[in-house]
């Protein structure tokens, strides 16, 4: 039997406690040795996941002049977005599509050519179509077009192959109660529900103490560092990296500025207002991401969720006094608008020129509404791209139509744009990572759609991912 001494036991307990407290993953993906990294940019990519399957036809309904309008009206009554009168959709310049009336701030960004929509987007190789939230979300985050994936997230493969510098203080952050599956397998990502809570301060009254009058009295937070004094094992490395993240973020005041109660708090710039009555947590997390970007901590990736889009019953519409879907749209619109305004008006310049936001959901909803004034699980959906380097003011992609004969399997919006195509363009043009066929195993035939600005690099493919394994903590 192997001998376990007291110090190793304490280290093991400590890293387990920290991993639990910070939602850190206790294993790391081993990169294939034949990957030749590119030289990464210092852009930040923010992935917003609308969990629950957002109804794209309610966020972006056919406008009054759309050839799809008649079929849309025939399929919907209790969930319809009107084009005139109370709750009328907002026309989008240069297109026959319209926008939900509660998304007026998104339309402002669209009119500034900073926001783009992609219709008919989704998982392009589902055999059969995945209609389970759990399976579809996991499959999308593992980076597969359909079928089944593995337990390595596509963002992890990007971090491995993206050519980041050897030392980056904070490469990736996952905002939520658990780590986003797209970052599964990464030892570079930290997870937090709130940046202000990412600390270990509840241990003891003497946690931070350093008493000059008592030799040797050092607070526990400092003592923790001595438990991990090397990088010989994954356990050592995980402990060092976790404590480094804690040390980096603990001194930062992530609370909102208040002249009396929190004068050292964060002050959004440009008049950005992160207040939203329906989902304040989502807006607060976007504010935290903006603050971290401004602090220049090297964050390249951030993930954030906005859930509760599973509208089988009582989906609502903007003509009703209570509109569940509209409340969700309000949260999305207000949050993204504040985020853009805040970073675009930073004292360090327009940081949105180096920040790209991609909004995605696992699948869309059925075209025909159900008997419970809601919509059931569908297929094709709408993606959003936001940023100073986005060719916005356009709706990209197309769908065959909304008539029964034009729908996928006679019920759903068809997928005509693989979601990986949009993300691949962001990785190549904004992050300078051409290794998209490694990031997205099984994907091929990439061509840019023109959503993002930036130089093109020849896409590179690797087939070594399954030839290399994982290394556990022990």
């Amino acid at each position: 039997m192997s001998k376990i001494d007291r110090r190793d036991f304490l280290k093991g307990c400590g890293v387990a406690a920290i991993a639990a407290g910070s939602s850190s993953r206790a294993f790391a993906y081993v990169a294939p040795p034949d990957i030749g990294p590119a030289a990464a940019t210092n852009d930040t990519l923010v992935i917003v996941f609308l969990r629950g399957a957002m109804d794209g036809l309610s966020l972006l309904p056919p406008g009054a002049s759309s050839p799809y309008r008649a079929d849309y009206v025939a399929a919907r009554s209790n969930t319809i977005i009107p084009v005139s009168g109370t709750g009328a959709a907002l026309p989008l310049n240069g297109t026959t599509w319209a926008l939900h009336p509660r998304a007026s701030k998104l339309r402002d960004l669209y009119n500034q050519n900073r926001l783009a929509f992609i219709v008919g987007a989704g998982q392009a190789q589902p055999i059969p179509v995945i209609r389970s939230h759990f399976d579809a979300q996991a499959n999308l985050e593992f980076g597969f077009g359909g079928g089944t994936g593995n337990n390595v997230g596509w963002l992890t493969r990007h971090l491995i192959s993206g050519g980041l510098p050897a030392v980056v203080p904070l490469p990736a952050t996952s905002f939520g109660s658990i780590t986003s599956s797209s970052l599964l397998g990464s030892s570079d990502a930290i997870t937090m529900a709130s940046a202000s809570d990412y600390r270990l301060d509840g241990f003891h009254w003497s946690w931070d103490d350093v008493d000059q009058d008592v030799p040797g009295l050092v607070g526990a937070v400092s003592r923790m560092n001595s438990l991990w004094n090397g990088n010989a094992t994954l356990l050592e490395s995980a402990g060092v990296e976790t404590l480094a993240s804690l040390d980096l973020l603990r001194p930062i005041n992530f609370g909102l500025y208040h002249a009396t109660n929190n004068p050292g708090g964060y002050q959004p710039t440009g008049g950005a207002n992160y207040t939203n009555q329906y989902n304040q947590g989502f807006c607060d997390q976007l504010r935290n991401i903006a603050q971290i970007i401004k602090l220049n901590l090297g964050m390249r990736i951030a993930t954030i969720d906005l859930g509760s889009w599973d509208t089988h019953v009582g989906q609502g519409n903007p003509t009703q006094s209570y509109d569940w879907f509209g409340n969700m749209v309000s949260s999305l619109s207000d949050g993204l608008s504040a985020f853009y305004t805040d970073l675009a008006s930073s004292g360090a310049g327009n940081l949105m020129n180096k920040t790209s936001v991609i909004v995605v959901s696992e699948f869309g909803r059925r075209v025909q509404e159900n008997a419970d004034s809601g919509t059931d699980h569908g297929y094709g959906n709408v993606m959003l791209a936001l940023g100073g380097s986005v060719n916005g003011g356009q709706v990209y992609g197309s769908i065959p139509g909304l008539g029964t004969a034009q729908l996928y399997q006679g019920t759903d919006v068809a997928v005509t744009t693989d979601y990986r195509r949009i993300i691949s363009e962001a990785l190549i043009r904004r992050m300078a990572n051409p290794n998209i066929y490694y990031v997205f195993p099984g994907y091929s035939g990439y061509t840019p759609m023109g959503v993002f600005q930036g130089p093109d690099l020849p896409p590179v493919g690797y087939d070594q991912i399954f030839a290399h394994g994982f290394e556990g903590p022990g």
Side-chain angles (χ1 to χ4, degrees), residues 305-328:
D305 293 346
L306 180 58
S308 300
W309 296 91
D310 196 16
T311 50
H312 291 281
V313 179
Q315 179 171 318
N317 71 63
T319 68
Q320 298 171 341
S321 58
Y322 182 74
D323 178 13
W324 175 267
F325 186 89
N327 294 345
M328 298 297 299

Side-chain angles (χ1 to χ4, degrees), residues 80 112 158 195 202-203 235 250 254 264 283 308 310 323 331 337 349 391 402 428 437 472:
I80 196 168
Q112 296 168 29
H158 161 63
F203 175 75
L235 185 62
R250 286 181 75 251
F254 283 103
C283 292
S308 300
D310 196 16
D323 178 13
S331 302
S337 175
N391 294 314
L402 297 180
I428 289 176
Y437 297 149

Side-chain angles (χ1 to χ4, degrees), residues 161-180:
S161 63
L164 269 67
V167 178
V168 180
L170 189 66
T173 305
S174 180
F175 277 84
S177 57
I178 61 174
T179 302
S180 169

Side-chain angles (χ1 to χ4, degrees), residues 28-103:
Y29 181 67
V30 181
D34 53 351
I35 288 211
T41 67
N42 59 358
D43 275 31
T44 301
L45 178 62
V46 180
I47 302 296
V48 179
F49 203 130
L50 306 183
R51 296 191 184 271
M54 184 268 297
D55 180 21
L57 285 176
S58 287
L59 178 67
L60 195 74
S65 61
S66 171
Y68 313 139
R69 184 70 192 181
D71 289 321
Y72 168 77
V73 171
R76 305 227 169 168
S77 56
N78 291 314
T79 60
I80 196 168
I81 310 298
V83 291
S84 62
T86 303
L90 306 172
L92 292 180
N93 295 334
T95 178
T96 60
W97 295 95
L99 192 59
H100 193 285
R102 302 282 292 278

Side-chain angles (χ1 to χ4, degrees), residues 112-192:
Q112 296 168 29
N113 296 328
R114 300 282 67 92
L115 175 67
F117 298 93
I118 303 95
V119 298
Q123 300 185 44
Q125 298 172 345
I127 306 174
V129 170
I130 302 173
R131 301 195 189 278
S132 157
H133 292 295
F134 178 83
D135 291 341
Q137 289 178 18
N139 200 64
L140 186 146
E141 293 191 272
F142 294 147
F144 287 72
T148 58
N150 61 11
N151 55 350
V152 180
W154 69 264
L155 278 173
T156 297
R157 289 191 289 268
H158 161 63
L159 290 171
I160 290 168
S161 63
L164 269 67
V167 178
V168 180
L170 189 66
T173 305
S174 180
F175 277 84
S177 57
I178 61 174
T179 302
S180 169
S181 294
S182 55
L183 284 165
L184 194 64
S186 174
S187 61
D188 292 323
I190 63 172
T191 300
M192 61 181 88

